[in-house]
Amino acid sequence: MQEVNLLFLNSQEKYTLDTFAQSASGSVYYQQGNNVLLATVTIDTDTIVEEDFLPLTVQYIEKAYAAGKFPGGYVKREAKPSDFETLSARIVDRSLRPLFPKDYCYPTQITILVLSVEPDADLQILALNAASVALFVSEIPINIPVSAVRIGRINEKFIVNPNAKELEQSTLDLFVSGANEDLLMIEMRSFGGIKAKEDSHSLPLANEILEDQLHYFSANEANEETILEALELAQEMIAQKNQLISQHFSPFIKKAIVLKEGRTSFVCDKIESYIRQNYLEELRAVIYLLSKTERNSKLNAFVKKILQEWREQNPEDTECLKERVLETTLRLKKEIVRTMILKEGKRADGRRFDEIRPISIQTNILPNAHSSALFTRGQTQALVVATLGGDMDAQSYELLTDKCSSKERFMVHYNFPPFCVGEANSISAPGRRELGHGNLAKRALESSLVEGKFKTIRLVSEILESNGSSSMATICGGSLALAAAGVPCTNLIAGIAMGLVCEGEEYVILTDIMGLEDHDGDMDFKIAGSKNGITAMQMDIKLGGLNTKILKAVLLQAKEARMRVLEIMEEAKSKIVLNESVLPTSQVFSIHPSKIVEVIGQGGKTIKEIIEKFEVAIDLNRDNGEVSLSGKNRQKVDAAKEYILGIANKEKEGRINPWDLYKVGDIYVGKIKKIVEFGVFIELPQGYDGLLHISKVINRGEGKISDYLNIDDEIKVEVLSVNKNKVELDWIRE
């Protein structure tokens, strides 16, 4: 048994190597306090992947028994991974993928099992710690350790690796991973924002927010200087941790496997020379095409043309000819794109390095949706649709470290159908990429929300066309969709994707990258925020790492671009016309908690009648007496509020109770105000409504109430009973 103990940031970590899961290429049984994870690395050396991609798969799996729990749901066995498991696997994958040798071609699986967990554990940090060491000591020729830290900020002070309670108080959540001193991956979001005052009964629309109606808890954006300070601290901590890993684990690294030449390079010097001499300018012209679809079509036609000519001129050369022509052309394309940027100072679409593509915005184009925004930037187009609801519409979920289930009240769902990139495939279930992009957009937007007006908000982003930065288009469109739905927000949020082309000491930073620059460039850095600062970031890099000098330049250039996008968005916001006919309205107010039971009524009869009568959704909080109403008709929502307040305040206000006005046996002529599934509401003298139950109108199975009675009919009724706030009636037929 090989054991290594590390002390880092006053946290004792114990690594047991190659004792558990000994058949794996590398395995680590990792323990920190009562948290235990098992990370394994396995390699299929008998299979060679010919395609030009790294065949790496990362699985992060939480076992319910780790927290002494049963799996939630009907089937008591772990099955489909949760969103948190999927997103955590992506974090590990994105941190470790850049380390693999360029021509590595063996299918490789990294599996992380959570076996025991404490309530305040940061499982994403622990998972990367375990997986990184398992990879470091495995047979894969990677001798560079990777580690990660999370940076929080409480009372203007940075906290390294905050626990769950500290993170709840933090205004910053910055997750950074790196190798040696270089940064590999960044995930960032800001917390805080604005909440409604507890005594506020309702909130105005987004363009009507007043300072005295809001309560500021903390700043919800981080400026570039703060981010850079946090990243420098993270870099320092990562360097210290990686040095410890190198010192303690280098003796246990296994003999590296010999990488076969398996993945054949089909680049052909003769074909490359032929294209350079005869068709280099034609290939450059293809790259300069503005349309992504047209560029791909012309590139395919170019490959077919070269293939045909080569066959005619070299009939004896047939071995893997198609593959050689294609791969040679693609390598030349990449070289042209990078040379064009680094040496000629040009981009394929003619833009300056700091220039954003043309933007157009349309709002509320879907007449029956609560709100919608069509955001188009260049050849990337996102249709973002908002739906507003009550507490019952929230998504329930359960985390391993939580004692009970929670509710997600702000959801961003990102869809990337194949037709958006011209592919003739059917739409399938969302994958890791869709979940990751939706989560990024959610993190960017949620800190701008003002709590209190709507209990549940769902944004759905349909990517209709994609040529880079579709997640950033989702953020821009999502912020406008919130405004177009009348959702109170502190600021508009815009997103911009930054790129990098780097050769040695020479580099160029690109603003608003398109697909070509993402594919052939070295970095995809997504930055979102308001005019006041950054709300979310995500960085992936294809280089070995990124230094803070370049990082600072990227942040400043992104800020300039974000401000330009926000100006365009502000102009579009000023022209928004709300979908008043379909847009729901809401009221949030409080009554004494002891009165909640009266609003519910015996067996839920009172609340059911309120829902039917006023056509509203009602959420009640028994603990604090909060009442949330929502409905499509503002007048009915207001009336339901007054009705509930009447129930709650009848004793305090000296309100006349129905039993003081009506007696059993009294006969009245009343007007029919509303017909519902279970009966008819009749307006009585003295201002109360009585209920004529369906059984008093028709016998079961003998038609509908509307066959006998209509709205505004006047009928004679007799009082059958008076109970609290209800009057039950019988129909006197003449």
Side-chain angles (χ1 to χ4, degrees):
M1 178 183 295
Q2 298 170 339
E3 290 187 357
V4 176
N5 292 292
L6 292 183
L7 180 64
F8 183 69
L9 295 175
N10 298 320
S11 177
Q12 189 71 38
E13 301 176 5
K14 179 181 177 181
Y15 298 82
T16 304
L17 307 178
D18 298 324
T19 300
F20 300 83
Q22 296 184 39
S23 295
S25 174
S27 72
V28 169
Y29 182 85
Y30 171 70
Q31 184 167 1
Q32 183 195 64
N34 291 328
N35 301 302
V36 179
L37 292 85
L38 176 66
T40 61
V41 178
T42 50
I43 312 166
D44 181 3
T45 54
D46 296 328
T47 303
I48 295 174
V49 175
E50 294 287 351
E51 291 80 4
D52 187 18
F53 77 98
L54 176 64
L56 171 66
T57 304
V58 177
Q59 279 187 296
Y60 167 85
I61 301 170
E62 296 178 344
K63 297 296 183 178
Y65 57 70
K69 298 163 66 173
F70 283 88
Y74 183 77
V75 177
K76 298 303 175 184
R77 181 170 185 166
E78 292 86 356
K80 178 184 175 182
S82 66
D83 285 2
F84 179 80
E85 288 173 294
T86 300
L87 295 170
S88 299
R90 287 188 85 235
I91 282 178
V92 175
D93 185 302
R94 289 161 49 209
S95 298
L96 300 181
R97 186 174 289 268
L99 302 180
F100 280 76
K102 184 178 180 181
D103 296 326
Y104 186 87
C105 57
Y106 300 120
T108 300
Q109 178 79 42
I110 298 176
T111 303
I112 306 142
L113 302 179
V114 181
L115 306 178
S116 177
V117 66
E118 294 179 334
D120 61 347
D122 188 335
L123 289 169
Q124 292 177 335
I125 292 284
L126 300 181
L128 186 56
N129 284 346
S132 171
V133 172
L135 184 64
F136 185 70
V137 300
S138 72
E139 299 167 314
I140 300 174
I142 296 176
N143 297 324
I144 303 173
V146 174
S147 60
V149 295
R150 192 183 300 275
I151 305 294
R153 195 165 188 246
I154 302 174
N155 298 326
E156 308 300 320
K157 293 183 179 180
F158 292 120
I159 307 295
V160 180
N161 288 346
N163 58 38
K165 291 183 179 179
E166 290 173 328
L167 202 57
E168 288 178 0
Q169 305 170 37
S170 177
T171 58
L172 176 70
D173 179 8
L174 178 67
F175 185 102
V176 187
S177 65
N180 293 328
E181 296 182 353
D182 292 321
L183 305 182
L184 292 172
M185 194 274 301
I186 298 172
E187 287 271 355
M188 172 263 173
R189 61 173 170 169
S190 62
F191 293 114
I194 300 177
K195 295 185 179 181
K197 285 184 177 180
E198 294 182 0
D199 58 352
S200 162
H201 286 183
S202 64
L203 282 173
L205 298 179
N207 57 354
E208 300 172 348
I209 295 178
L210 302 177
E211 290 289 332
D212 59 355
Q213 291 173 304
L214 303 173
H215 179 55
Y216 288 76
F217 279 78
S218 59
N220 62 336
E221 297 102 346
N223 59 40
E224 283 72 14
E225 291 74 17
T226 300
I227 295 296
L228 285 169
E229 285 182 39
L231 288 172
E232 289 174 358
L233 175 60
Q235 186 180 35
E236 180 184 343
M237 294 297 105
I238 287 170
Q240 292 179 16
K241 181 66 177 291
N242 286 336
Q243 186 177 9
L244 287 174
I245 293 174
S246 293
Q247 290 175 354
H248 288 80
F249 291 98
S250 292
F252 305 109
I253 296 176
K254 295 181 179 178
K255 182 179 179 180
I257 57 174
V258 178
L259 296 180
K260 300 177 183 178
E261 295 183 359
R263 177 182 287 154
T264 304
S265 174
F266 291 106
V267 176
C268 177
D269 293 337
K270 291 182 179 180
I271 295 176
E272 180 179 335
S273 178
Y274 179 76
I275 295 174
R276 286 185 185 277
Q277 292 175 12
N278 300 283
Y279 294 106
L280 190 61
E281 290 306 313
E282 183 175 332
L283 182 57
R284 287 174 63 93
V286 170
I287 294 171
Y288 271 113
L289 288 171
L290 294 180
S291 168
K292 177 182 178 181
T293 305
E294 186 181 4
R295 184 189 303 117
N296 292 340
S297 176
K298 292 288 187 181
L299 191 62
N300 290 333
F302 180 87
V303 170
K304 290 180 181 179
K305 176 182 177 179
I306 301 299
L307 179 62
Q308 182 178 351
E309 288 189 6
W310 191 264
R311 280 174 175 165
E312 292 173 355
Q313 298 176 20
N314 303 275
E316 74 288 349
D317 187 3
T318 59
E319 185 178 356
C320 299
L321 182 58
K322 183 177 180 180
E323 290 82 359
R324 285 189 288 140
V325 171
L326 176 60
E327 192 161 320
T328 301
T329 302
L330 292 178
R331 193 178 82 165
L332 272 173
K333 175 183 75 75
K334 182 175 182 179
E335 178 187 309
I336 291 171
V337 170
R338 296 175 66 87
T339 302
M340 185 190 306
I341 292 170
L342 284 170
K343 305 299 182 184
E344 301 173 22
K346 298 179 182 178
R347 300 175 75 171
D349 58 1
R351 283 184 291 150
R352 301 186 309 273
F353 293 150
D354 63 350
E355 185 178 352
I356 59 175
R357 290 171 289 177
I359 292 174
S360 65
I361 297 169
Q362 294 175 267
T363 55
N364 284 341
I365 62 174
L366 303 180
N368 226 32
H370 289 167
S371 79
S372 55
L374 183 67
F375 183 89
T376 306
R377 176 162 50 197
Q379 289 180 297
T380 296
Q381 186 177 68
L383 174 63
V384 188
V385 186
T387 307
L388 312 178
D391 192 63
M392 296 297 292
D393 298 306
Q395 172 70 59
S396 296
Y397 68 94
E398 187 173 335
L399 295 177
L400 184 63
T401 53
D402 289 347
K403 294 181 179 179
C404 56
S405 62
S406 302
K407 285 190 174 183
E408 184 180 13
R409 291 183 171 83
F410 178 55
M411 295 165 274
V412 180
H413 295 154
Y414 169 99
N415 296 319
F416 194 86
F419 64 73
C420 75
V421 288
E423 295 180 356
N425 297 325
S426 59
I427 295 175
S428 58
R432 290 188 174 192
R433 182 179 181 275
E434 284 82 1
L435 291 175
H437 280 10
N439 182 62
L440 173 61
K442 176 188 174 183
R443 290 187 288 113
L445 294 170
E446 64 184 345
S447 63
S448 71
L449 293 174
V450 176
E451 297 184 14
K453 184 170 175 61
F454 296 103
K455 284 294 184 181
T456 302
I457 303 170
R458 181 184 184 230
L459 291 177
V460 179
S461 176
E462 309 286 1
I463 303 303
L464 306 183
E465 186 178 11
S466 178
N467 187 8
S469 305
S470 60
S471 61
M472 300 297 95
T474 295
I475 291 170
C476 297
S479 186
L480 288 165
L482 292 172
V487 176
C489 294
T490 59
N491 293 296
L492 285 176
I493 305 296
I496 201 79
M498 307 296 292
L500 177 72
V501 177
C502 184
E503 295 287 348
E505 296 297 320
E506 190 177 7
Y507 67 89
V508 171
I509 300 167
L510 303 174
T511 294
D512 185 24
I513 56 173
M514 57 182 180
L516 182 72
E517 295 163 338
D518 185 8
H519 184 271
D520 293 331
D522 298 316
M523 180 185 73
D524 182 13
F525 196 170
K526 302 178 177 72
I527 304 171
S530 71
K531 60 185 179 181
N532 297 327
I534 297 171
T535 58
M537 294 193 311
Q538 184 180 92
M539 186 196 79
D540 295 299
I541 193 160
K542 301 173 188 176
L543 302 170
L546 185 67
N547 62 48
T548 52
K549 176 187 174 183
I550 297 177
L551 192 57
K552 181 178 181 179
V554 171
L555 289 174
L556 295 178
Q557 190 167 317
K559 180 180 180 180
E560 295 177 0
R562 188 173 78 246
M563 295 306 172
R564 294 199 293 272
V565 177
L566 284 169
E567 288 178 7
I568 300 171
M569 291 173 62
E570 288 286 357
E571 182 181 355
K573 178 185 174 182
S574 67
K575 300 176 182 178
I576 288 174
V577 178
L578 300 181
N579 282 348
E580 294 284 6
S581 60
V582 297
L583 194 62
T585 186
S586 67
Q587 292 275 14
V588 180
F589 57 96
S590 296
I591 61 176
H592 196 280
S594 65
K595 298 295 182 180
I596 293 291
V597 65
E598 295 185 26
V599 176
I600 296 173
Q602 186 176 4
K605 292 179 68 176
T606 302
I607 194 171
K608 183 177 180 182
E609 290 173 8
I610 297 172
I611 291 170
E612 291 287 348
K613 180 179 179 180
F614 298 103
E615 298 179 354
V616 295
I618 304 177
D619 294 318
L620 302 173
N621 190 319
R622 291 175 179 267
D623 296 328
N624 60 15
E626 183 181 87
V627 180
S628 176
L629 298 177
S630 61
K632 292 184 178 181
N633 186 293
R634 185 183 297 273
Q635 292 180 343
K636 290 182 178 180
V637 171
D638 291 341
K641 173 186 173 182
E642 294 303 320
Y643 192 84
I644 292 173
L645 289 174
I647 295 174
N649 301 329
K650 59 180 180 288
E651 295 177 359
K652 180 174 66 175
E653 297 178 358
R655 181 183 175 95
I656 299 176
N657 293 305
W659 52 79
D660 296 327
L661 299 173
Y662 311 107
K663 305 298 181 186
V664 175
D666 287 352
I667 295 175
Y668 301 97
V669 174
K671 181 184 289 188
I672 297 176
K673 290 185 63 177
K674 186 175 181 64
I675 298 175
V676 295
E677 182 181 352
F678 55 83
V680 179
F681 286 100
I682 310 293
E683 184 178 5
L684 299 174
Q686 312 288 350
Y688 273 90
D689 291 344
L691 175 64
L692 179 65
H693 194 267
I694 187 173
S695 62
K696 305 298 182 183
V697 181
I698 59 173
N699 295 323
R700 182 177 296 178
E702 292 186 0
K704 300 180 293 184
I705 296 177
S706 57
D707 296 334
Y708 298 87
L709 298 171
N710 297 300
I711 300 292
D712 292 334
D713 284 354
E714 291 188 349
I715 62 173
K716 186 178 289 187
V717 293
E718 178 183 354
V719 178
L720 290 181
S721 68
V722 183
N723 181 19
K724 288 190 177 179
N725 210 34
K726 294 192 303 178
V727 180
E728 295 188 6
L729 305 172
D730 190 12
W731 183 15
I732 301 178
R733 306 180 191 233
E734 297 180 342

